[in-house]
Amino acid sequence: MKNRVFVFDTTLRDGEQVPGCQLNTVEKIEIAAMLENLKVDVIEAGFPISSPGDFKSVVEISKVISEPIICALTRARKEDIDAAAESLKFAKRKRIHTGIGSSDVHIKFKFNSTREKVLEQGVEAVKYAKKFVEDIEFYAEDAGRADNAFLAKMVEAAIAAGATVVNIPDTTGYCLPWEFGSKIKYLVNHVKNIDKAIISVHCHNDLGMATANSLSGIINGARQVEVTINGIGERAGNTSLEEVVMTMRTHKDIDADTNIQTKKIVEASRLVSRLMRMPVQPNKAIVGRNAFAHSSGIHQDGVLKKRANYEIIDPKDIGIANSSIILTARSGRAALKHKLEKLGYKLAKPQLNEVYQQFLDLADKKREINDEDLRLLMGEKATDRNIKLELLEVVCGMPLKPMATVKLWVKGKEEIASAVGNGPVDSAFNAINKIIKKPVSLEEFLVQAITKGSDDMGKVHIQLAYKGDTYYGFGADTDIVVASVKAYLDGLQKII
Ligand code: KIV
Ligand code: ZN
């Protein structure tokens, strides 16, 4: 059996420090419940002394979460530790995470202190925290840039004072993977009581090395990894949970694995992105919109012959029903044939060649060719199936309950419906759903301003799931509700 690596998720603490990503208590509880479903081992729920809101969130998360350990962060100060202990009083399993700087640059310029004094302050903090909680994690901040001999001395003293986990953070994302790995190995070989504690790695992504550094730490003896969903976190972010977990799952030769229920990864990623209003970059490893999308002819042909030709992970393992074939001017006949067959057209070779030429002409004008375009290419009449927006009327504001009325042409028939919702977009979508009556779920909803002014065009991208397949929709308008409805109808068009 592989070595077990514990997953310490800090989305709600280091992740939540990102400007604009702040969450209220209810949102934090929703994410904590998702993390419990994912089967993370530790949830770092907040930094209780930092604000009354953070304190309350740790209290409320402690009440609802049963399995994972709930952890609260502190500086090496009594008042921080008192607040953390108090906030954790309802936690079934609890941990205090305390620590201090370990690099000379932090010791001199952040604490205006000396190595001896910070070591002593760290040890005192561990001893004090131990009075409240048995499970104490000690962090040696900026360990990535710390002198290894001093770091070993500090870690040894923290364990002797009662630390059960020692966190070695690369706070500034400075290290190279082999350098960080050697640091962990050095600690394994030079800290006398290291067998009394678990080594944890906490890497930042300033040079894009967070995942590589964390894995290098694990390979060299770390047995806990600190991560966030989608890699969100201070500056360039933290190690992303999905990357480190899926690397261990994919590389059978890495003698380490986690307990994570990987089929829930995409759901967790979308939830965090939505609640934190932080879009995931389309090419983000594992969870980006394009991570399992193939658009060039050679790749499409290869993946249609055998998925493993161009995919090292089965998308089902992370909760995506299927990989997607995107038709563009770079696509080949194999992909076109595949898409046409899905729409019910079986073409002989000469006919396919003919349609392929028309397809290329269209693809040169249009960035992406959707099912609707293919049907038109095959000679179907647009009016037979188009959904057309005739009217959209929305009432919203304070203290009104948002309500929308939508009139559509659906396959040549006029249909009208009204619905309420939790906002203008939600009520418009609910009204459309009353007309369309399909079990479609909205997987992603992304709003972007094209430029910066309030009178400018808004762009909306949506992703819909229907019967195991994914459909994309796009809409643009100066009115963001209209743009959203256009995007929704664009997606639905492909389903109907
Ligand atoms: O990056 C860091 O050093 C931290 C510590 C507080 C663990 O987030
Ligand atoms: Zn950090």
Side-chain angles (χ1 to χ4, degrees):
M1 224 181 51
K2 285 188 168 196
N3 283 305
R4 167 80 186 278
V5 172
F6 297 101
V7 174
F8 175 113
D9 184 280
T10 183
T11 305
L12 296 174
R13 199 279 296 170
D14 228 349
E16 215 247 353
Q17 286 175 211
V18 175
C21 283
Q22 276 65 43
L23 300 170
N24 61 37
T25 303
V26 175
E27 292 168 330
K28 285 189 189 172
I29 291 173
E30 202 178 334
I31 292 181
M34 180 79 238
L35 294 172
E36 182 164 33
N37 274 336
L38 256 185
K39 293 215 177 305
V40 306
D41 300 284
V42 186
I43 297 176
E44 188 164 48
F47 180 14
I49 191 100
S50 68
S51 75
D54 229 35
F55 181 92
K56 183 170 164 233
S57 297
V58 179
V59 173
E60 298 306 324
I61 290 170
S62 299
K63 287 182 192 164
V64 295
I65 297 299
S66 332
E67 270 302 304
I69 295 169
I70 305 299
C71 178
L73 182 80
T74 80
R75 293 164 295 182
R77 292 189 186 180
K78 282 190 171 169
E79 62 274 27
D80 286 31
I81 296 168
D82 290 338
E86 177 64 17
S87 72
L88 289 169
K89 69 175 175 228
F90 296 108
K92 281 119 214 127
R93 302 168 72 205
K94 53 186 96 176
R95 177 181 295 174
I96 291 179
H97 189 190
T98 190
I100 196 158
S102 61
S103 66
D104 287 333
V105 57
H106 273 213
I107 292 169
K108 188 157 173 221
F109 299 110
K110 189 173 151 179
F111 297 103
N112 189 21
S113 189
T114 61
R115 286 184 177 187
E116 293 66 34
K117 281 193 195 144
V118 291
L119 190 148
E120 164 127 19
Q121 195 179 333
V123 164
E124 285 312 312
V126 172
K127 285 188 182 154
Y128 187 67
K130 200 80 182 172
K131 291 192 203 301
F132 302 96
V133 175
E134 179 46 38
D135 188 1
I136 307 296
E137 176 165 337
F138 174 78
Y139 64 84
E141 196 182 7
D142 203 19
R145 291 188 295 173
D147 168 64
N148 283 351
F150 174 65
L151 182 64
K153 202 169 152 195
M154 189 180 228
V155 165
E156 192 168 308
I159 298 173
T164 42
V165 180
V166 282
N167 179 9
I168 311 302
D170 184 20
T171 305
T172 52
Y174 170 76
C175 286
L176 295 168
W178 47 92
E179 187 186 4
F180 192 68
S182 318
K183 193 173 278 284
I184 301 300
K185 197 177 199 158
Y186 182 91
L187 295 176
V188 170
N189 293 332
H190 291 83
V191 173
K192 279 205 247 50
N193 49 6
I194 198 70
D195 57 315
K196 305 271 182 308
I198 290 170
I199 301 179
S200 185
V201 283
H202 174 117
C203 298
H204 279 264
N205 206 27
D206 299 66
L207 293 172
M209 304 279 176
T211 298
N213 283 344
S214 298
L215 287 163
S216 181
I218 290 167
I219 289 165
N220 283 285
R223 289 292 168 262
Q224 179 180 280
V225 62
E226 308 204 355
V227 292
T228 60
I229 304 284
N230 299 336
I232 61 162
E234 284 275 1
R235 308 180 308 280
N238 287 57
T239 305
S240 92
L241 177 144
E242 57 277 8
E243 291 176 16
V244 90
V245 165
M246 289 315 292
T247 306
M248 280 187 261
R249 255 331 124 82
T250 307
H251 280 265
K252 306 289 177 222
D253 51 329
I254 299 181
D255 187 19
D257 201 2
T258 67
N259 244 5
I260 293 295
Q261 297 295 300
T262 63
K263 288 196 163 66
K264 301 216 179 320
I265 281 181
V266 166
E267 192 186 338
S269 160
R270 302 241 161 97
L271 179 74
V272 168
S273 165
R274 178 165 61 79
L275 294 180
M276 292 196 159
R277 299 156 208 76
M278 181 83 155
V280 176
Q281 74 188 61
N283 59 329
K284 164 85 180 62
I286 320 289
V287 290
R289 175 163 22 107
N290 293 344
F292 295 92
H294 306 273
S295 69
S296 85
I298 296 171
H299 288 211
Q300 290 174 332
D301 182 49
V303 95
L304 287 170
K305 283 179 177 141
K306 191 167 173 60
R307 195 187 52 74
N309 278 332
Y310 284 100
E311 281 179 2
I312 53 165
I313 295 172
D314 185 339
K316 290 190 180 58
D317 289 346
I318 55 154
I320 297 180
N322 283 311
S323 352
S324 45
I325 298 285
I326 311 288
L327 291 182
T328 67
R330 307 286 153 263
S331 299
R333 285 173 184 74
L336 178 64
K337 182 166 175 272
H338 167 80
K339 283 280 195 180
L340 286 172
E341 281 176 2
K342 277 187 94 180
L343 294 176
Y345 299 103
K346 268 202 170 305
L347 303 188
K349 212 169 173 183
Q351 212 187 347
L352 178 68
N353 284 342
E354 204 181 300
V355 177
Y356 184 63
Q357 288 315 316
Q358 295 166 359
F359 159 80
L360 286 183
D361 288 343
L362 184 62
D364 271 336
K365 294 186 198 107
K366 215 171 166 263
R367 264 197 268 173
E368 219 182 271
I369 301 295
N370 58 37
D371 292 355
E372 180 68 9
D373 300 321
L374 289 182
R375 287 198 176 98
L376 288 173
L377 269 186
M378 295 308 297
E380 284 188 31
K381 284 202 241 83
T383 47
D384 289 346
R385 341 149 281 289
N386 261 3
I387 312 176
K388 275 215 320 255
L389 179 65
E390 274 291 302
L391 171 139
L392 169 67
E393 226 171 57
V394 184
V395 190
C396 63
M398 276 273 288
L400 297 172
K401 176 106 186 132
M403 189 178 131
T405 300
V406 174
K407 197 200 281 179
L408 302 177
W409 279 96
V410 185
K411 297 187 176 179
K413 202 170 142 227
E414 193 185 75
E415 308 247 18
I416 186 159
S418 299
V420 291
N422 62 18
V425 173
D426 188 47
S427 45
F429 285 12
N430 289 342
I432 294 170
N433 290 344
K434 278 191 178 172
I435 298 174
I436 302 297
K437 297 189 190 80
K438 296 258 181 226
V440 174
S441 68
L442 183 61
E443 300 284 299
E444 200 174 294
F445 179 76
L446 187 66
V447 183
Q448 284 171 305
I450 290 179
T451 51
K452 283 190 180 131
S454 61
D455 57 344
D456 277 317
M457 291 284 270
K459 288 200 295 185
V460 176
H461 288 271
I462 59 159
Q463 192 176 313
L464 302 175
Y466 177 67
K467 294 193 172 166
D469 277 324
T470 303
Y471 299 85
Y472 298 97
F474 171 76
D477 201 281
T478 47
D479 180 326
I480 205 68
V481 183
V482 175
S484 307
V485 166
K486 283 183 178 170
Y488 196 48
L489 293 178
D490 186 39
L492 288 173
Q493 194 96 262
K494 295 161 193 168
I495 292 172
I496 287 191

